[in-house]
Amino acid sequence: MSAILLVLSSPSGGGKTSIARRLLERRADVGYSVSATTRPARAGEVDGRDYHFLSRDEFQRRVDGGQFLEWAEYGGHRYGTLRSVVDEQLAAGRHVVLDIEVEGARQVRRAVPSSVHVFVLPPSAQTLRDRLEGRRTESPEAIGRRLAIAASEIAAAGEYDYLITNRVLDEAVATVSSILDAEQCRTQRQPALEERLAELAEAVRIEAEQARTAGAAS
Ligand code: 5GP
């Protein structure tokens, strides 16, 4: 099996983090890339589980050291995917989910052309606003900023390979899971394809010959 790098993007409040979490609970073959960020931790967030929370200097040091597969600025803070985190998951043979914004997704597309990109749309603008307000983690100004960014992110959704609408969480999770399954069956992703097909075709030829011989003998 060749492990897949799955990029999940959506506007803030669109539900990609919940989809990623639930996908991880359901599938042992999927790992999550914990991002690094300079944003302060929200109440309930744990360093190393939700994010690696870094100072701006530390983040810059890692940028200079080439440690990021991608990184971008969002809402005045930096967010990035550490190569080491992704490599660790891929080496363990797991697909890796990246929950990242649009600019970072573009960088991943350039760096890893075989990555699969899914954009999660909210069912409506009102739902998006309700979800952001319901989290009670941001001020009205911050919510306004996030919704403004959301509008420009939705405009870029056409760049993605798949678009799904997050109406019911479990259904969205099932859809993302089927995308992973289908992508795994892609001809181009099959390891040693020519050898496997040649071997099987040869085995079938032998069966054909034996069937003919058995027919002639009876
Ligand atoms: P939040 O502050 O709500 O946790 O995340 C804000 C935005 O940053 C979300 O769209 C989230 O997907 C994105 N984000 C989180 N981690 C990364 C990352 O490693 N790289 C990039 N480019 N965006 C990220």
Side-chain angles (χ1 to χ4, degrees):
M1 182 198 91
S2 58
I4 293 168
L5 205 55
L6 181 81
V7 171
L8 266 189
S9 295
S10 79
S12 184
K16 61 189 173 305
T17 310
S18 310
I19 293 174
R21 285 218 182 103
R22 213 163 274 194
L23 192 64
L24 250 71
E25 284 165 19
R26 300 225 179 125
R27 293 185 59 144
D29 62 345
V30 176
Y32 183 69
S33 160
V34 177
S35 296
T37 185
T38 60
R39 157 167 91 56
R42 295 187 188 124
E45 284 185 330
V46 177
D47 188 30
R49 184 195 67 186
D50 298 287
Y51 280 107
H52 299 290
F53 294 101
L54 304 180
S55 66
R56 248 186 129 79
D57 283 352
E58 179 58 20
F59 197 101
Q60 186 59 43
R61 199 182 63 73
R62 291 180 188 230
V63 171
D64 295 340
Q67 292 186 26
F68 286 107
L69 175 63
E70 62 73 34
W71 69 271
E73 195 103 23
Y74 177 100
H77 302 292
R78 287 178 171 191
Y79 296 81
T81 303
L82 290 159
R83 288 179 199 278
S84 57
V85 173
V86 172
D87 290 346
E88 200 178 291
Q89 301 282 351
L90 292 176
R94 280 191 285 269
H95 306 303
V96 191
V97 180
L98 306 184
D99 159 354
I100 62 177
E101 51 69 68
V102 170
E103 181 44 42
R106 290 185 183 125
Q107 294 172 35
V108 174
R109 172 84 80 195
R110 286 194 290 273
V112 187
S114 64
S115 52
V116 176
H117 295 233
V118 178
F119 196 94
V120 182
L121 291 167
S124 69
Q126 185 65 49
T127 320
L128 193 62
R129 182 174 169 191
D130 290 348
R131 283 187 191 154
L132 279 176
E133 288 179 344
R135 291 210 297 219
R136 297 179 192 288
T137 49
E138 259 101 9
S139 63
E141 293 73 30
I143 290 173
R145 273 199 302 276
R146 280 182 180 245
L147 284 171
I149 300 172
S152 61
E153 289 190 312
I154 288 169
E159 296 172 22
Y160 284 68
D161 302 311
Y162 296 91
L163 281 181
I164 66 170
T165 302
N166 182 17
R167 287 193 184 83
V168 178
L169 182 59
D170 276 337
E171 286 171 15
V173 175
T175 306
V176 175
S177 189
S178 343
I179 290 172
L180 263 182
D181 290 337
E183 282 290 336
Q184 246 184 297
C185 298
R186 248 186 214 284
T187 317
Q188 304 95 294
R189 289 190 198 277
Q190 305 301 312
L193 178 68
E194 286 187 12
E195 290 87 331
R196 272 175 54 213
L197 294 183
E199 217 170 90
L200 185 59
E202 181 54 23
V204 171
R205 259 181 235 115
I206 293 168
E207 293 293 336
E209 189 51 38
Q210 287 175 351
R212 265 197 299 273
T213 319
S218 65

